[in-house]
Amino acid sequence: MQAVIMAGGFGTRLHPLTYKRPKPMVPVVGVPMMEHIVKLLKKNGFDSAISLLYYHGDTIKSYFGDGKDFEISIEYKSAESDLGTAGSVRNAADFIDDRFVVISADVLTDFDLKAAVEFHREKDALATIVLTRHPTPLQFGIVITDEDGKILRFLEKPAWGQVFSDTINTGIYILELEVLNWIPQGKFFDFSQNLFPALLENGERLFGYVASGYWRDVGNLREYRRANEDALWERVKIELPGELQKIRGAEIFIDDGAEIHPDVEFEGRVLVGKNVKVGKGAFLSNSVIGDSSYIGDGCTVERSVIWDDVKILAGSVIENATIASGVAIGMSSSVQEHSVIADNCKIGDNVTVFAGVKLWPDKIVEDRAVLSESVIWTDRVGGELFTRSRVSGAINWELSPEFVSKLGAALGATLAKNGGTLVISRDPDRASQITARALFCGAMSAGMDVEDIEMVPIPLLRQYLSRNPRTAGVHIRKSPYDERRQDLIFLSGDGSDLPTAKCRKIEQMIVREGIPRANYEKLGRLSRPGGVISAYKSKMLEHIDVQVIKERPFRIVVDYEYGASARIMTDIHERIGADVIALNAFVDPNHLTKTREEREAAFQRLAKIVKSLDAQIGFAIDPVGERLAICDEKGNIYLDNELLYIVTKLYLLHHKPRAIAVPISATMGVNFLAREVGVDVIRTKDEHLAMMEAARRPDVAFVGGTRGGFIFTDFGFACDAMYSSVKVLEMLAKSNVVLSELAEDMPEFVRKEIEVQCPWRAKGKVMRSLMEYTQKFPRDIIDGVRVITSDAWILILPDAERSVFHILAEGKTEEAADNLIEQYSDLIKRWID
């Protein structure tokens, strides 16, 4: 059989190790990862392979040649552009003549591929995905099969709320030749995102084979160290170089030509490569030492991976670090835990490299230097740069002007190769000013025009782009949760969030060497368009019945929370005839971030002022301009689900849409309101992006959130607290009621929420067990698993950042909610055990 080896990835999450080398050539126990794959193929009876190349492909070609040294025939196919996984295989169709196996060059595995192929034959499958159980399946494709192995459902790289199993896609596929007919030639096409969904939708013979054995995706630096550890301790069945010797209780693999002083101390397991020299009094513990390296007298190397041709002089200490090829470390230096030193760096004597520091290739560190942070600012992208469409980091450190300028250049080079326009807005913080200037300098250097609409809330940027489509938009703000951090929110040219695929392309561009820059004639131009605020205000007034509000003059209290919304709303309130008592109506960057206690205190102040001044209603608009809190004339504050119930009720008094949308965790009181007037309720994931996606559906007229965000789709497609506050006044005026009356019949449902501790390794298993247990119950699996009973519902949602499950129940009685909480918390604990 033939094998197709996917060897074209950038390996950005392994930077700086892959900054100048392809990821398949990164060594595990001294041998390139791709060589382990080639040996596995040979062991399982494969006689030929096609290696698909893209990034630094010549390095792979020169190492493996025609494959004779590995007793397997190897051919190569390079791509001129990124065609995706399936598209790259289609690009090599001329080399493929029969059934074939696709396997990645950058995984470590000892799967029995013969058994997988036999399963494929027995099922007469068109395509078989090789699967495995994984304790933390978040970064992989989740696959659900029936008892016969036929695939029922899969989801590529889900959020924790979508993890319904611990059975994952390993990236190993057995495919019939006719599968190539499903893949378009010369276009980007992905196995998991495009091909397999198409096969599933068309009822083709798509199966999953759960393999036993070892499998690890070497996707980041932590996984890389674990892969070396597992290989060293033979948890994966691969060939280790050298001869195993036992020295004073330690197990040492010693390869040809190694010279080890008799006074060297060993602990645990150590691999010593070819021609390595280890000096007197050195201490080596649970480490890999690559070929032709030198460890000087009295050195300590613990739990570390040392590549080839590394020189570490006397008295230096290396602890749980990765040292790449050609690095020289002087005498009495210290490299601490989780540090990474890339190729050919030169580190002087008595240098201290603190924990977690990364050095990019070819750096020189002088004697007695102390490195407490990474030398190259490109380190900002050592892990995932984007969280959905947001980049966040420490102000003026992770998001330094140098880094942000490069980010702007990468954005321009990726999205606007032939020119284009970026629109930038920001909050009032002075750090946001610095970041905005750095960003547009970088974008302009890549040939992108920039429109700086300056200090406006993000709803105005979205509205501006929806009216004036451009290439992209970015809003810069201080984090609402940490005054030392900053967020850059990336938008598409129409104002919606930038898709994940484009975010990843920007990330790939920023970590590659040499971002394309524009010639002088094509440098971008900066402009500051006027009329952004006036256009927004005009549109708002066009969508509001101003006269009906004027006929019922309101006295209102508005807390602007020191954000830029006051610049917009003062004139609006005057036009609608409202008597406004404005609080915190000036811009103050020092108050943009609040703790929970500070927010609660601010709400209580708002309530007191509303009552004492006999106002009909009070609003608190967050500094970003997206989320709202409301206070009635009696001083009652409405947040979260109570606010959602009231605004939804008010909306349905005057509108009869086909459907409204709310998050999966929203109160079932919304369903009762909608049922009374014959309106469908669509549930979404509990996030703004999902709400925006629902708002673009033609049958949805209103989207209500559980954290104060509302979307009225005739006005916009994203949460806008400014418009929502005026819309509430309009609907109150038409109803001729006061706010407290709307709350009088609010159902007194009981909501209970607890957390259940769950180790990361068990989360996927728990979700799989939960899916199996609830398959015969009424349920929603939009975000986590929501099980519905006659008098209650319960939502079980794994936390994305902590080792816990959130369990939220809502019942008509306290007993109903408590019973569900107890039942499912006990089940989770049992499944963990």
Side-chain angles (χ1 to χ4, degrees):
M1 272 185 69
Q2 286 180 301
V4 176
I5 304 174
M6 309 294 292
F10 290 102
T12 53
R13 290 182 296 160
L14 280 184
H15 275 188
L17 298 178
T18 52
Y19 196 65
K20 290 188 174 181
R21 74 177 68 226
K23 185 178 175 184
M25 295 304 295
V26 171
V28 172
V29 289
V31 175
M33 284 192 281
M34 181 166 160
E35 184 173 338
H36 291 301
I37 293 300
V38 169
K39 289 178 178 177
L40 177 70
L41 293 172
K42 175 62 180 174
K43 179 180 177 181
N44 280 270
F46 290 82
D47 53 15
S48 66
I50 304 137
S51 180
L52 306 184
L53 308 177
Y54 183 49
Y55 178 66
H56 286 312
D58 289 343
T59 305
I60 295 173
K61 273 187 181 181
S62 63
Y63 184 88
F64 288 97
D66 61 7
K68 287 183 179 178
D69 292 344
F70 304 92
E71 300 179 354
I72 186 173
S73 172
I74 301 179
E75 297 179 282
Y76 302 92
K77 181 65 175 180
S78 298
E80 298 298 321
S81 60
D82 185 5
L83 297 174
T85 52
S88 298
V89 173
R90 179 66 176 84
N91 190 48
D94 293 344
F95 293 80
I96 303 170
D97 52 28
D98 203 348
R99 177 187 296 132
F100 61 101
V101 169
V102 176
I103 189 168
S104 296
D106 53 8
V107 298
L108 189 63
T109 183
D110 57 12
F111 284 166
D112 184 346
L113 299 181
K114 289 181 181 177
V117 172
E118 183 59 31
F119 172 91
H120 177 86
R121 287 197 186 104
E122 289 177 357
K123 300 299 181 183
D124 190 27
L126 178 65
T128 296
I129 302 175
V130 178
L131 312 173
T132 191
R133 310 286 193 203
H134 198 282
T136 53
L138 188 66
Q139 298 180 25
F140 310 101
I142 303 296
V143 181
I144 297 175
T145 66
D146 64 15
E147 294 179 356
D148 194 42
K150 191 170 185 180
I151 291 177
L152 304 175
R153 185 181 182 195
F154 54 84
L155 187 63
E156 180 69 5
K157 294 185 179 179
W160 263 116
Q162 300 169 297
V163 173
F164 305 123
S165 174
D166 61 350
T167 308
I168 65 165
N169 177 356
T170 66
I172 302 172
Y173 312 125
I174 304 156
L175 306 174
E176 295 299 313
L177 187 63
E178 64 189 272
V179 164
L180 296 177
N181 298 329
W182 290 78
I183 306 172
Q185 176 72 38
K187 295 183 179 180
F188 185 93
F189 208 72
D190 186 83
F191 278 118
S192 297
Q193 296 180 12
N194 304 113
L195 176 63
F196 296 144
L199 296 179
L200 190 62
E201 183 179 348
N202 284 273
E204 295 292 338
R205 306 180 310 282
L206 181 62
F207 282 80
Y209 171 74
V210 181
S212 59
Y214 180 96
W215 180 90
R216 184 178 294 279
D217 173 33
V218 188
N220 56 44
L221 294 168
R222 179 179 295 177
E223 293 298 304
Y224 174 69
R225 285 190 294 270
R226 288 175 176 169
N228 276 275
E229 177 187 333
D230 289 347
L232 185 61
W233 285 95
E234 298 181 280
R235 295 168 189 144
V236 52
K237 298 174 184 176
I238 61 174
E239 180 182 336
L240 288 176
E243 178 184 347
L244 177 62
Q245 299 184 24
K246 292 191 176 182
I247 302 177
R248 291 185 292 278
E251 296 181 331
I252 318 301
F253 292 87
I254 302 176
D255 212 344
D256 298 339
E259 298 179 15
I260 302 172
H261 193 279
D263 292 337
V264 172
E265 291 290 330
F266 290 100
E267 181 181 78
R269 274 198 173 191
V270 177
L271 188 152
V272 180
K274 290 181 181 178
N275 303 313
V276 167
K277 294 184 178 181
V278 186
K280 180 180 179 179
F283 174 71
L284 306 183
S285 170
N286 296 310
S287 295
V288 175
I289 314 296
D291 294 349
S292 303
S293 290
Y294 172 79
I295 311 297
D297 295 351
C299 287
T300 295
V301 179
E302 294 187 80
R303 306 185 315 281
S304 295
V305 181
I306 311 297
W307 291 12
D308 58 294
D309 295 308
V310 172
K311 182 179 288 188
I312 304 173
L313 298 187
S316 288
V317 177
I318 315 296
E319 297 179 287
N320 199 14
T322 303
I323 313 294
S325 300
V327 170
I329 298 175
M331 292 188 294
S332 300
S333 290
S334 171
V335 180
Q336 298 179 6
E337 290 196 349
H338 305 304
S339 293
V340 179
I341 314 297
D343 300 78
N344 303 314
C345 287
K346 309 301 178 188
I347 297 176
D349 298 337
N350 298 292
V351 170
T352 299
V353 180
F354 279 2
V357 167
K358 302 178 184 67
L359 270 67
W360 257 245
D362 306 314
K363 299 297 166 281
I364 298 175
V365 181
E366 302 295 337
D367 294 349
R368 293 177 296 281
V370 176
L371 298 183
S372 59
E373 59 184 81
S374 299
V375 169
I376 301 298
W377 40 261
T378 309
D379 170 61
R380 179 60 189 83
V381 296
E384 294 284 353
L385 176 61
F386 282 88
T387 301
R388 296 191 178 94
S389 60
R390 187 185 77 246
V391 173
S392 299
I395 292 172
N396 209 30
W397 181 26
E398 291 176 309
L399 292 181
S400 66
E402 296 90 345
F403 174 76
V404 173
S405 177
K406 188 172 185 181
L407 179 58
L411 185 151
T414 302
L415 302 184
K417 295 179 181 178
N418 299 312
T421 301
L422 170 68
V423 184
I424 297 176
S425 66
R426 60 176 176 83
D427 71 5
D429 190 66
R430 63 185 184 276
S432 299
Q433 287 183 294
I434 295 171
T435 300
R437 282 155 176 75
L439 187 70
F440 67 59
C441 286
M444 291 165 64
S445 75
M448 201 174 197
D449 291 338
V450 172
E451 294 181 357
D452 181 13
I453 63 174
E454 301 184 296
M455 187 176 67
V456 297
I458 191 172
L460 271 75
L461 173 60
R462 294 189 189 275
Q463 286 283 348
Y464 179 81
L465 289 170
S466 69
R467 294 192 310 271
N468 310 282
R470 299 290 191 259
T471 308
V474 178
H475 181 76
I476 303 160
R477 71 181 187 189
K478 179 187 281 188
S479 169
Y481 310 107
D482 187 341
E483 64 181 8
R484 297 164 297 181
R485 295 180 68 81
Q486 191 176 62
D487 301 327
L488 279 68
I489 302 168
F490 287 72
L491 309 181
S492 294
D494 62 357
S496 59
D497 286 7
L498 193 67
T500 300
K502 290 186 177 180
C503 293
R504 287 178 180 165
K505 287 184 179 294
I506 295 171
E507 183 170 341
Q508 289 173 354
M509 177 66 73
I510 201 171
V511 296
R512 288 169 59 185
E513 198 169 4
I515 295 175
R517 305 285 179 160
N519 297 326
Y520 175 78
E521 295 79 12
K522 294 185 177 180
L523 288 174
R525 290 176 168 81
L526 173 65
S527 62
R528 291 186 170 89
V532 176
I533 292 177
S534 61
Y536 174 83
K537 290 191 291 189
S538 296
K539 182 177 180 181
M540 183 188 290
L541 293 170
E542 289 171 3
H543 285 77
I544 293 293
D545 191 337
V546 173
Q547 189 58 39
V548 76
I549 301 176
K550 282 185 173 181
E551 290 173 358
R552 184 186 171 185
F554 285 95
R555 169 174 285 189
I556 65 175
V557 181
V558 182
D559 184 353
Y560 291 105
E561 298 188 6
Y562 303 101
S565 299
R567 300 176 64 206
I568 293 97
M569 297 305 294
T570 302
D571 183 46
I572 293 290
H573 289 144
E574 183 178 335
R575 297 283 295 273
I576 63 176
D579 177 12
V580 179
I581 297 93
L583 309 178
N584 306 314
F586 59 94
V587 170
D588 185 352
N590 296 317
H591 288 85
L592 299 178
T593 301
K594 288 188 177 72
T595 65
R596 177 178 296 180
E597 293 75 16
E598 289 171 335
R599 286 191 178 90
E600 291 176 353
F603 292 149
Q604 293 306 315
R605 285 194 297 272
L606 174 64
K608 288 181 180 179
I609 294 171
V610 169
K611 284 187 67 177
S612 64
L613 296 180
D614 292 325
Q616 287 104 324
I617 192 169
F619 297 102
I621 298 174
D622 78 340
V624 182
E626 290 183 319
R627 307 203 181 279
L628 193 66
I630 293 181
C631 174
D632 70 17
E633 77 284 358
K634 296 180 180 180
N636 299 309
I637 297 289
Y638 299 104
L639 305 169
D640 304 335
N641 276 279
E642 288 185 346
L643 181 59
L644 172 61
Y645 179 87
I646 286 175
V647 176
T648 303
K649 180 177 181 179
L650 195 54
Y651 182 81
L652 294 178
L653 286 174
H654 303 284
H655 304 83
K656 296 297 182 287
R658 281 189 289 167
I660 61 174
V662 295
I664 190 70
S665 61
T667 175
M668 57 184 167
V670 171
N671 292 72
F672 294 160
L673 291 172
R675 190 182 306 141
E676 289 176 359
V677 293
V679 173
D680 293 333
V681 176
I682 296 167
R683 297 274 175 167
T684 74
K685 289 192 286 185
D686 203 349
E687 62 183 26
H688 192 200
L689 177 60
M691 292 171 63
M692 288 191 288
E693 291 171 348
R696 291 188 178 277
R697 292 181 48 153
D699 56 337
V700 173
F702 169 78
V703 183
T706 56
R707 291 187 289 272
F710 300 97
I711 304 173
F712 298 88
T713 62
D714 60 335
F715 178 75
F717 56 85
C719 292
D720 186 336
M722 296 171 290
Y723 179 78
S724 296
S725 66
V726 181
K727 187 68 175 178
V728 166
L729 291 178
E730 178 204 271
M731 294 187 295
L732 282 173
K734 289 181 177 179
S735 305
N736 197 28
V737 297
V738 294
L739 196 64
S740 62
E741 294 175 5
L742 294 170
E744 288 176 353
D745 65 345
M746 187 183 301
E748 294 183 359
F749 296 128
V750 177
R751 291 175 72 91
K752 295 288 186 74
E753 185 171 4
I754 67 167
E755 293 181 355
V756 176
Q757 296 294 322
C758 176
W760 285 103
R761 60 174 173 75
K763 277 190 175 181
K765 180 177 69 172
V766 168
M767 288 301 292
R768 172 165 53 88
S769 301
L770 179 64
M771 287 291 291
E772 293 170 354
Y773 180 81
T774 61
Q775 62 183 339
K776 294 183 180 180
F777 301 153
R779 68 181 184 183
D780 294 315
I781 50 176
I782 297 164
D783 197 12
V785 179
R786 179 174 177 262
V787 184
I788 304 159
T789 69
S790 59
D791 57 355
W793 59 262
I794 187 164
L795 175 66
I796 301 97
L797 184 66
D799 192 285
E801 299 177 351
R802 299 164 53 218
S803 55
V804 300
F805 272 85
H806 298 282
I807 304 182
L808 170 65
E810 184 180 63
K812 295 178 180 178
T813 65
E814 185 170 7
E815 182 182 10
D818 285 340
N819 287 343
L820 281 177
I821 290 276
E822 181 179 0
Q823 176 187 354
Y824 280 90
S825 60
D826 287 347
L827 284 169
I828 290 173
K829 292 171 185 175
R830 187 196 313 166
W831 292 328
I832 292 171
D833 294 338

